Amino acid sequence: MTLPFEVGVVVRDLELMERFYCDVLGCRTERRSRVPESVGGPAGLGGELVVVWLKVPAGGCVKLILPRSGRVAARVAASPAGRPGLSYLTFHLDDMDPVVAALPAAGARSLSDPVVVRAHGRRISFWADPEGNVVELVDARAGAPDPGHSN
């Protein structure tokens, strides 16, 4: 590999999803580009697209992909391990508490019960982003007091 890992997420509302991943999860918009039909079609991407590259603070990239056709079906978040294929994006944080606190107002829905689970010296929390894509948050604060969340 010559560069950090990238993942593409097809979206219905590019502005909403860019705000979510930047404002709540700390990604930074690196660039945006229109991919013409002449490239997107032969590449197997289904035609013309708009792509926004979001730099993940610790490395890597989330590419938000908006097909110009506008035919993106709504996704319903299910159990991440209950479906084949790519199931979720994992973000490792120093402290997930501020992110967990901001997620509901940003349109995310908790999938964990309780919201934060302690396991193997870490805390984890699964969320559906505003379009139903599953996001896992992980931090290493399992030994720290956690007044806002139960075990």
Side-chain angles (χ1 to χ4, degrees):
M1 292 180 127
T2 60
L3 293 171
F5 186 76
E6 296 183 358
V7 63
V9 178
V10 176
V11 301
R12 293 185 322 271
D13 184 332
L14 186 60
E15 289 75 25
L16 170 70
M17 297 302 282
E18 184 175 0
R19 278 192 314 273
F20 177 80
Y21 283 94
C22 290
D23 295 351
V24 180
L25 293 173
C27 295
R28 186 181 76 243
T29 301
E30 288 279 296
R31 65 184 165 118
R32 60 182 65 241
S33 179
R34 186 184 71 76
V35 177
E37 164 69 39
S38 62
V39 174
L45 297 172
E48 184 179 352
L49 312 162
V50 175
V51 181
V52 175
W53 284 260
L54 304 177
K55 177 78 170 158
V56 177
C61 180
V62 174
K63 294 183 287 191
L64 301 179
I65 302 164
L66 178 67
R68 298 301 286 175
S69 66
R71 291 174 295 182
V72 177
R75 179 176 184 160
V76 177
S79 167
R83 61 176 179 252
L86 181 64
S87 291
Y88 55 90
L89 304 175
T90 300
F91 292 87
H92 292 269
L93 308 166
D94 290 330
D95 179 5
M96 75 169 66
D97 291 338
V99 175
V100 166
L103 284 167
R109 182 174 52 87
S110 176
L111 301 176
S112 296
D113 184 20
V115 172
V116 176
V117 177
R118 294 171 189 268
H120 306 288
R122 302 179 306 168
R123 297 186 314 157
I124 60 173
S125 187
F126 281 89
W127 290 80
D129 75 14
E131 290 194 358
N133 302 292
V134 179
V135 174
E136 176 191 28
L137 307 177
V138 178
D139 75 22
R141 296 173 44 95
D146 192 6
H149 306 287
S150 57
N151 291 2

